[in-house]
Amino acid sequence: MFNIIKMDLYKMFKMRSFYVVNIIAMVSVAIMLLFVVVDADKTDLKGSNATTVYEDKDQNVKLGVDVDDSQLLGTEQNVLTIYSSFMSSGFYLFLSVIFTMIFALSENKNGYIKNIGGQVRHRWQLFVSKLTAIFIYIFMFDLILLVVQSVIWFIAKGNFGAGSFSEYVTFIISQFLLQYVFVIVCTAIAIITKSRVFSMTAAVCLSFGMGKLACMGIDAGIYKLLNREVSLEKYLITTKISTMLPNMDMAQIRNIIVFAAVYFIVSVFAGIISVEKRDMV
């Protein structure tokens, strides 16, 4: 099992797309952060006298990447505040899922799955190994972007201004958890369908909020047929990511953990079944 994980990690780090996606992400984050810093300077906010006030986020349908800067108004800006806003925007989710889809389906192109599939005792180890490699990638991806933002902030402001880590640690971990689970769901779709075009399109559309439009259509159909109002949008991972606030209580944290666990268990179960029954000859 450990050797399979090492092979997956080796394959991941040897992929050109790994470095291309990361470089694009770092450059994009640097540019976005500079714009945020410039816009914030124009507002002439007095951070030393400000208090942080969080309001419930609007749950209207928003497509694409939407950086919510409402947290920056009336509060002292710092790296973690802006980093959290970028995580909630879906930007990290979008870029990380692109490479993950390329990585998940690369084995079908280079013949790796055929060469190694018949040599392992249990095929589910191939899927678990992939999940482990993806976890390491998501952790590295988010950490690299945090470092990039800290460096750009230091260049622009002359100080690191990290802010209160204890205030944001739960929020960042929860965002990371949901980001990882979303990527696992997309990976399971890719493994099951074995279609690069379909899985990549589905992953990008879901990360851009197209799932909310589908939920609205289903909600309208249920209301028309059963005369019953439902809201499926609140069960989407992207909805949880975009509406999460830093000042969560224990009940909200527990709900997020249970929510993520359900998605994770179902995705892993479906992925393992698909791998076990796949014809690798």
Side-chain angles (χ1 to χ4, degrees):
M1 181 65 183
F2 183 68
N3 290 332
I4 300 176
I5 295 175
K6 288 197 298 184
M7 284 190 291
D8 272 329
L9 290 175
Y10 175 80
K11 181 179 66 173
M12 182 177 71
F13 288 119
K14 292 290 289 185
M15 294 177 64
R16 185 179 303 174
S17 56
F18 173 83
Y19 299 97
V20 172
V21 172
N22 283 337
I23 291 173
I24 292 175
M26 288 188 288
V27 173
S28 301
V29 165
I31 295 174
M32 291 171 63
L33 180 58
L34 287 175
F35 276 114
V36 170
V37 171
V38 171
D39 290 342
D41 288 340
K42 291 180 179 179
T43 61
D44 193 25
L45 297 177
K46 298 181 180 179
S48 59
N49 297 325
T51 57
T52 304
V53 178
Y54 301 105
E55 297 179 355
D56 291 337
K57 295 186 179 180
D58 187 359
Q59 295 194 18
N60 293 333
V61 175
K62 297 178 182 178
L63 303 181
V65 175
D66 179 32
V67 179
D68 182 9
D69 60 356
S70 61
Q71 298 180 37
L72 308 180
L73 301 178
T75 184
E76 182 180 359
Q77 295 179 60
N78 53 65
V79 172
L80 293 179
T81 301
I82 301 177
Y83 181 75
S84 300
S85 297
F86 283 1
M87 294 190 82
S88 297
S89 71
F91 180 66
Y92 295 174
L93 185 70
F94 167 66
L95 289 175
S96 60
V97 81
I98 288 179
F99 171 75
T100 304
M101 292 299 96
I102 298 174
F103 172 68
L105 295 173
S106 61
E107 59 190 23
N108 295 331
K109 182 179 179 181
N110 57 26
Y112 168 82
I113 192 67
K114 291 183 180 180
N115 296 331
I116 197 66
Q119 301 178 24
V120 296
R121 184 174 182 180
H122 303 288
R123 291 180 179 177
W124 60 264
Q125 294 178 347
L126 299 174
F127 187 70
V128 173
S129 172
K130 196 177 301 296
L131 300 189
T132 305
I134 291 174
F135 179 88
I136 295 174
Y137 167 72
I138 298 295
F139 179 80
M140 290 177 54
F141 181 83
D142 288 354
L143 182 61
I144 289 172
L145 294 186
L146 177 59
V147 172
V148 170
Q149 286 188 225
S150 300
V151 172
I152 297 300
W153 182 273
F154 180 80
I155 294 174
K157 293 287 191 179
N159 60 77
F160 282 107
S164 176
F165 185 74
S166 60
E167 182 179 356
Y168 287 93
V169 60
T170 303
F171 175 83
I172 292 175
I173 292 175
S174 300
Q175 285 280 0
F176 169 80
L177 177 63
L178 291 177
Q179 181 184 358
Y180 175 66
V181 171
F182 178 86
V183 170
I184 294 306
V185 171
C186 294
T187 302
I189 294 174
I191 296 296
I192 294 171
T193 62
K194 293 185 288 187
S195 172
R196 181 185 295 268
V197 176
F198 175 80
S199 56
M200 181 67 75
T201 303
V204 171
C205 289
L206 289 174
S207 64
F208 263 44
M210 296 297 291
K212 298 180 181 180
L213 292 178
C215 288
M216 289 178 61
I218 297 174
D219 292 346
I222 293 176
Y223 180 78
K224 187 173 182 179
L225 293 175
L226 304 177
N227 195 27
R228 181 177 180 181
E229 292 186 358
V230 294
S231 179
L232 299 178
E233 178 187 344
K234 62 184 180 180
Y235 299 109
L236 295 177
I237 299 177
T238 51
T239 301
K240 292 288 186 181
I241 290 176
S242 62
T243 58
M244 189 187 304
L245 293 172
N247 58 339
M248 296 183 295
D249 56 30
M250 288 305 300
Q252 291 173 313
I253 296 174
R254 184 168 54 250
N255 290 338
I256 289 175
I257 294 175
V258 174
F259 177 86
V262 171
Y263 267 100
F264 181 80
I265 292 172
V266 173
S267 299
V268 171
F269 184 73
I272 289 178
I273 290 179
S274 177
V275 171
E276 287 286 349
K277 294 186 176 182
R278 178 185 296 181
D279 183 11
M280 298 185 181
V281 180

